[in-house]
Amino acid sequence: MKDKTFHMIGNAHLDPVWLWQWQEGFQETKATFRSALDRMKEYEDFIFTSSSASMYEWVEENEPEMFAEIKERIQEGRWRIVGGWWIQPDCNIPNGESFVRQGLYGQRYFQEKFGVTAKVGYNVDSFGHHGMLPQILKKSGMDSYVFMRPAPNEKGLPSNLFWWESDDGSRVLAFRIMHEYNSWGKELDRIVKRCKGEFKGNIEDQMIFYGVGNHGGGPTKENIESIYRLNEDASLPHLVFSTPEEYFEKVQNTKNLPVVHDDLQHHASGCYAAHSGVKQYNRKAENMLITAEKYSALAFWLTGQPYPAEFNRAWKNVLFNQFHDILAGTSIESAYEDARNLYGEALAIADRALNNAVQSISWKIDIEQDEKMRPIVVFNPHAWDSKVNVEIEIGSIKPTSVLVDDQGNAIPFQTLQSQATAGGRYRLNFLADLPALGYRVYKIYTELSGLESDVEPIKASSHAMENDRFRLEIDAETGWISSLFDKKVNHEVFAGPAAKPVVINDKTDTWSHDTLHFNEIMGDFRAAKVYLAEHGPVKSVIRVKSEYGRSILIQDFTMYRERDQIDVKVTVDWREKFKMLKLVFPINSIFRKQTYEIPYGTIEREHNGEEEPGQSWVDVTGVTPNHEGVYGLSLINDAKSSYSVHNKELALTVLRSPIYAHHDPLIPEEDGEYTFIDQGIQRFEYTLLPHQGSWEEAKTPKRAAELNCKPITIIETFHKGSLPQNDSFVQVSADNVLISALKKAEENEDLIIRLFETNKVPTEVEISLPKFQRTFKAVFKPSEIKTFRIPKNVDEPVRETNLIEWDE
């Protein structure tokens, strides 16, 4: 077999957090790197492969002498950088922009510190890989990809080596590691011999990964010396000390390699829902940082407000917490206190930056003086005109109060229960018509003669609500939706009771190893109280308080007079163990297709009941039972990432409650005391968006963005200024091309604007920044991500750049 080659990849899979906290991972990083450097002194042809910029930053800051030694070995070519990302993250739950930032911060760090960038994407332990990664990798400077999960029993692939393709046509050469990414500290005979049979077709090169891993360690003397010995065995392929980059260079011209155009799933399906807290923190931090960057960049150009350098620290915190054993929910309990603190720092940085940005803009707005009026400036974080719900705590509202917009038109409003249980405080609620990525000034007058809003509320009772489009009915006994009727097309949205909280037996470990379906129903929540909680000219709310065992679930179903969607605020007080909670929605249609949002894209999947990862929305669309037309439902949420569709039943997995860091096959003691995940109170929101036609026509991605990034409000005062009371900073001409990032360039004062196509159709679009005298056009392939650099000098052209902000 000497005409075939095993590329022996010396590595140390190093989980910085898992069954230990980051401080232990920090120390083990230093120990592992020291060991690798020592092996290089002992074996002149030994090569070490390593990823994750965050760990190098640890060493740089804490052990600079060793860092300098690593730098020398990198320049020598014996220490090889792979991955190009800040960490090896969960590759399902972070949003698209987070994957971009993994490469932005990782590749720039490696280039700055070592003068190299990674050419090979590297996520050997991540629990599945979304289908848009090939494009993100390619545009981050990586042409190939190494992974191990899903294993062959979890995902059948035509070959260990294949072209992996995303919807825009981008391809990377991908390799699935055989069996495992590490070895014990002994000889490699067993590992090498079991891989002999993996040479198929015309593939004559394979990679074998060796080195003590998970808690670090790396290649041992026994490992290395056994490679020399095994190479003398004529019955074995040729063994060479190698790197992933050298391997892919060797095989890139292999003919007739198969093409895989798909997600790479499923491994550890329980991880899509394990630990609601870390997943919600992550979603909030991503969205807050993206919003703060948008307005910080605009304020930097518009008012001179300094752009915060702290964004780098905030993003690095978020990216570190996206490590696959943190964000997946599989680490020990104390690790989530650390994660909370890192997210908290990131959120505080974003909050300060956003406040400084919008207040620097709002202070420049020309607002007339009137002692009977308080101005409220509402900012839109999205680059499209948006009609959205606004709620703001405020004082001094009287029965005679009137709300008007910047043109003096009366705007319907109502007051809700204040967050302060005290006199003189109110929660003002109205629908705001906002310009694209801009703001509008609203004014609340204590009185304004001759002007009032005489809008009538929708029809509402304790169990039913009806506006011009929908009639919603709640069953008083169960608390479930008994009917959601679309009057426009004479269609019943659901095929049975909906928003049904179902409790499922779940004795699986934290990962739910080898489990694809969760369907052993134990019972369901039943209503203890159903009543009309809010009723006014803006919206009405039916509150359903339900109980199961010692647990309580509150769902506030909101219907608006002027919005064709149902918003639901959820509070769960969960006290169950070894159980899962799903909200179930049976869809009343035939010939259905199921579409899931994935990072920077979408994917259609079967309705086979398997637990599936998704981003902020999933959609089921089909044909109405009378065959009269296409109809669907988009289910949108602001905190969850696990779904299932079984036949007609769409389900959102709210939570599951395994033991922290319980790894099968260890069996918990029957009478043992353990800490269980997701105990106590949590809150999130979801939206039901029924739609005639497709989700594309319903603009589901925009509605999802509006739920996840809400408007920003500032209670202002009177002052002269140069800005009008209604303004827009950025507009995009096509509904299916969205701005995902607007930020200051990493190295100068240019603006960076990133957009992506949502509907898998080629699109030409015009992007305009009217305040800055900029308009340019771009052509998008289906699901393409594009990044542009806008110089501050209008005489310099707008240029396309890559995700690392390096012009190609």
Side-chain angles (χ1 to χ4, degrees):
M1 296 191 71
K2 291 302 180 184
D3 60 336
K4 304 185 188 307
T5 302
F6 278 140
H7 294 252
M8 305 302 293
I9 312 299
N11 79 110
H13 182 64
L14 208 168
D15 293 325
V17 176
W18 179 27
L19 308 180
W20 45 85
Q21 292 177 260
W22 69 268
Q23 295 90 342
E24 188 173 339
F26 188 111
Q27 194 283 326
E28 186 56 38
T29 296
K30 294 191 295 182
T32 298
F33 283 7
R34 180 70 266 156
S35 175
L37 290 166
D38 290 345
R39 299 294 81 75
M40 288 180 188
K41 293 176 182 177
E42 296 160 352
Y43 304 96
E44 63 182 16
D45 48 357
F46 168 68
I47 303 172
F48 185 65
T49 292
S50 185
S51 70
S52 303
S54 60
M55 298 182 191
Y56 291 87
E57 189 177 67
W58 280 350
V59 175
E60 179 189 17
E61 293 175 351
N62 192 250
E63 191 55 44
E65 291 182 5
M66 183 162 63
F67 188 78
E69 193 176 344
I70 291 170
K71 186 174 182 178
E72 291 178 4
R73 291 301 190 181
I74 290 172
Q75 291 171 344
E76 183 185 344
R78 295 183 60 198
W79 185 301
R80 302 301 282 269
I81 298 294
V82 292
W85 285 3
W86 197 248
I87 204 76
Q88 290 187 40
D90 180 281
C91 288
N92 286 314
I93 294 164
N95 68 13
E97 190 58 24
S98 285
F99 288 100
V100 171
R101 300 309 172 96
Q102 289 283 355
L104 178 74
Y105 290 105
Q107 292 283 51
R108 281 181 165 269
Y109 181 87
F110 289 135
Q111 179 63 45
E112 177 189 347
K113 303 299 179 181
F114 306 127
V116 302
T117 56
K119 306 302 181 187
V120 179
Y122 188 89
N123 289 298
V124 299
D125 196 28
S126 300
F127 308 151
H129 311 260
H130 71 83
M132 289 298 289
L133 273 178
Q135 180 179 186
I136 294 171
L137 290 164
K138 287 282 286 187
K139 292 183 176 180
S140 301
M142 289 172 275
D143 298 318
S144 49
Y145 193 59
V146 179
F147 71 102
M148 190 183 75
R149 311 183 193 281
N153 62 303
E154 297 165 326
K155 173 75 172 179
L157 291 171
S159 169
N160 286 333
L161 180 66
F162 59 92
W163 289 104
W164 189 23
E165 182 181 72
S166 55
D167 286 339
D168 71 308
S170 296
R171 288 183 179 181
V172 294
L173 195 53
F175 180 84
R176 176 161 65 183
I177 295 172
M178 301 173 291
H179 305 296
E180 54 189 328
Y181 49 67
N182 58 17
S183 63
W184 301 108
K186 307 298 182 183
E187 293 85 357
L188 302 179
D189 300 54
R190 174 175 56 88
I191 292 173
V192 170
K193 289 176 180 178
R194 73 186 180 190
C195 293
K196 281 177 59 178
E198 296 289 341
F199 292 95
K200 303 289 176 65
N202 60 345
I203 296 175
E204 297 187 344
D205 293 77
Q206 299 279 8
M207 281 192 283
I208 292 179
F209 286 68
Y210 71 96
V212 179
N214 288 345
H215 198 271
T220 65
K221 295 179 182 180
E222 292 90 344
N223 289 164
I224 296 168
E225 289 172 2
S226 70
I227 292 174
Y228 293 128
R229 176 175 51 77
L230 289 166
N231 220 3
E232 298 175 0
D233 188 335
S235 69
L236 293 176
H238 182 50
L239 278 65
V240 296
F241 293 100
S242 186
T243 69
E245 188 173 345
E246 290 171 359
Y247 171 77
F248 284 116
E249 287 175 359
K250 180 86 178 290
V251 301
Q252 65 179 342
N253 294 320
T254 305
K255 295 180 179 179
N256 302 317
L257 286 177
V259 177
V260 174
H261 189 115
D262 198 3
D263 273 349
L264 301 178
Q265 309 291 1
H266 296 90
H267 178 82
S269 297
C271 290
Y272 314 148
H275 205 294
S276 297
V278 73
K279 291 174 171 62
Q280 187 167 46
Y281 276 136
N282 183 74
R283 183 85 66 88
K284 284 184 175 179
E286 289 173 328
N287 287 317
M288 177 68 89
L289 277 169
I290 289 167
T291 300
E293 283 182 337
K294 286 177 182 176
Y295 274 102
S296 293
L298 291 169
F300 176 59
W301 270 25
L302 199 65
T303 71
Q305 175 70 29
Y307 190 85
E310 285 185 307
F311 279 141
N312 286 3
R313 178 74 270 150
W315 270 113
K316 287 177 180 179
N317 287 2
V318 171
L319 299 178
F320 182 84
N321 275 341
Q322 290 173 347
F323 179 68
H324 55 265
D325 278 313
I326 301 176
L327 191 54
T330 57
S331 293
I332 58 174
E333 184 179 15
S334 55
Y336 291 101
E337 296 177 8
D338 298 332
R340 175 202 62 200
N341 295 342
L342 285 181
Y343 279 125
E345 183 181 30
L347 285 163
I349 289 169
D351 204 26
R352 283 195 301 271
L354 180 59
N355 179 69
N356 280 334
V358 295
Q359 292 226 25
S360 76
I361 294 171
S362 69
W363 195 252
K364 299 288 192 296
I365 299 172
D366 191 39
I367 302 175
E368 71 278 10
Q369 182 168 351
D370 188 329
E371 301 301 328
K372 296 179 180 178
M373 181 268 289
R374 298 189 74 185
I376 302 168
V377 186
V378 185
F379 289 85
N380 182 6
H382 308 292
W384 58 85
D385 294 347
S386 198
K387 188 163 191 172
V388 289
N389 188 60
V390 173
E391 296 181 13
I392 182 171
E393 293 285 322
I394 196 169
S396 304
I397 293 182
K398 301 183 180 303
T400 56
S401 291
V402 176
L403 179 70
V404 302
D405 64 15
D406 59 299
Q407 299 299 312
N409 302 308
I411 303 298
F413 74 94
Q414 65 195 69
T415 55
L416 314 177
Q417 182 176 338
S418 171
Q419 294 177 358
T421 308
R425 293 295 293 178
Y426 304 89
R427 191 161 183 82
L428 178 66
N429 177 214
F430 62 98
L431 291 185
D433 266 312
L434 303 177
L437 201 53
Y439 63 84
R440 171 168 282 179
V441 176
Y442 289 84
K443 304 163 189 176
I444 185 84
Y445 288 86
T446 52
E447 59 179 279
L448 196 61
S449 59
L451 188 66
E452 61 182 42
S453 174
D454 56 358
V455 172
E456 290 295 320
I458 63 172
K459 298 177 185 176
S461 67
S462 59
H463 303 104
M465 298 183 288
E466 183 175 353
N467 62 13
D468 290 343
R469 177 71 183 271
F470 298 116
R471 178 175 171 82
L472 174 71
E473 298 178 12
I474 305 291
D475 185 290
E477 296 296 320
T478 62
W480 310 335
I481 294 175
S482 58
S483 173
L484 178 56
F485 189 72
D486 188 332
K487 300 189 294 183
K488 180 180 176 182
V489 294
N490 200 34
H491 175 68
E492 188 67 56
V493 176
F494 297 120
K500 180 180 178 180
V502 176
V503 179
I504 295 168
N505 187 38
D506 177 14
K507 289 288 183 70
T508 63
D509 69 2
T510 313
W511 289 255
S512 300
H513 281 113
D514 300 321
T515 301
L516 296 177
H517 302 87
F518 299 90
N519 49 21
E520 186 184 340
I521 296 175
M522 302 286 289
D524 41 55
F525 280 78
R526 295 292 175 124
K529 190 177 183 182
V530 182
Y531 63 100
L532 187 65
E534 296 170 12
H535 185 53
V538 178
K539 66 184 182 185
S540 295
V541 177
I542 293 177
R543 178 166 297 155
V544 178
K545 183 178 181 181
S546 305
E547 297 175 349
Y548 174 89
R550 296 174 55 237
S551 300
I552 296 171
L553 172 70
I554 298 173
Q555 295 196 78
D556 283 356
F557 295 93
T558 300
M559 180 178 281
Y560 302 90
R561 190 177 60 85
E562 298 182 71
R563 298 186 87 193
D564 290 343
Q565 64 189 55
I566 308 297
D567 288 346
V568 188
K569 289 185 179 179
V570 182
T571 301
V572 186
D573 187 355
W574 185 251
R575 304 291 174 178
E576 313 305 316
K577 301 173 181 178
F578 292 123
K579 294 183 178 68
M580 170 185 280
L581 174 61
K582 285 179 175 278
L583 289 171
V584 178
F585 304 87
I587 308 302
N588 185 28
S589 63
I590 55 177
F591 309 127
R592 296 171 301 279
K593 68 175 181 179
Q594 297 73 224
T595 306
Y596 295 74
E597 183 193 24
I598 62 174
Y600 277 144
T602 59
I603 190 168
E604 292 179 13
R605 298 186 177 124
E606 299 83 359
H607 61 188
N608 54 18
E610 291 185 0
E611 202 72 9
E612 300 281 6
Q615 299 273 292
S616 62
W617 62 270
V618 63
D619 180 87
V620 179
T621 294
V623 175
T624 56
N626 62 8
H627 296 265
E628 289 298 320
V630 174
Y631 200 94
L633 175 80
S634 295
L635 176 62
I636 303 166
N637 81 86
D638 70 350
K640 306 298 175 182
S641 54
S642 191
Y643 306 87
S644 62
V645 182
H646 185 234
N647 298 330
K648 289 186 175 184
E649 285 196 345
L650 163 63
L652 172 67
T653 303
V654 175
L655 55 82
R656 47 188 304 264
S657 46
I659 297 170
Y660 271 96
H662 168 214
H663 198 297
D664 180 73
L666 191 145
I667 300 173
E669 298 176 10
E670 284 292 330
D671 58 349
E673 290 292 332
Y674 302 98
T675 305
F676 289 79
I677 297 177
D678 272 8
Q679 301 298 294
I681 294 173
Q682 60 170 281
R683 296 179 176 87
F684 70 98
E685 297 181 35
Y686 69 89
T687 293
L688 301 175
L689 181 65
H691 54 83
Q692 185 181 13
S694 66
W695 62 262
E696 292 94 335
E697 294 171 271
K699 303 176 185 176
T700 295
K702 288 187 172 183
R703 301 294 85 82
E706 289 167 354
L707 176 66
N708 280 268
C709 287
K710 294 186 176 179
I712 307 106
T713 54
I714 298 290
I715 300 175
E716 259 296 351
T717 186
F718 327 119
H719 38 64
K720 295 290 185 182
S722 58
L723 295 178
Q725 294 187 9
N726 183 336
D727 212 350
S728 172
F729 301 121
V730 187
Q731 292 118 31
V732 180
S733 64
D735 283 327
N736 60 314
V737 175
L738 306 187
I739 291 176
S740 58
L742 176 65
K743 61 185 285 291
K744 189 181 83 66
E746 291 296 304
E747 74 285 354
N748 59 28
E749 295 187 351
D750 294 351
L751 286 187
I752 296 293
I753 186 167
R754 188 159 20 259
L755 308 97
F756 68 107
E757 196 283 320
T758 62
N759 294 1
K760 298 188 182 181
V761 295
T763 303
E764 182 174 353
V765 65
E766 183 175 271
I767 302 102
S768 58
L769 293 81
K771 282 288 184 194
F772 311 118
Q773 294 82 52
R774 287 287 195 177
T775 299
F776 62 99
K777 293 183 178 180
V779 176
F780 285 77
K781 291 184 286 188
S783 299
E784 188 174 13
I785 309 160
K786 281 183 176 285
T787 307
F788 297 94
R789 176 184 295 277
I790 306 173
K792 202 168 187 180
N793 183 351
V794 294
D795 294 328
E796 295 182 35
V798 174
R799 305 191 307 277
E800 187 170 355
T801 185
N802 67 11
L803 299 179
I804 314 300
E805 300 177 22
W806 291 332
D807 295 351
E808 297 177 331

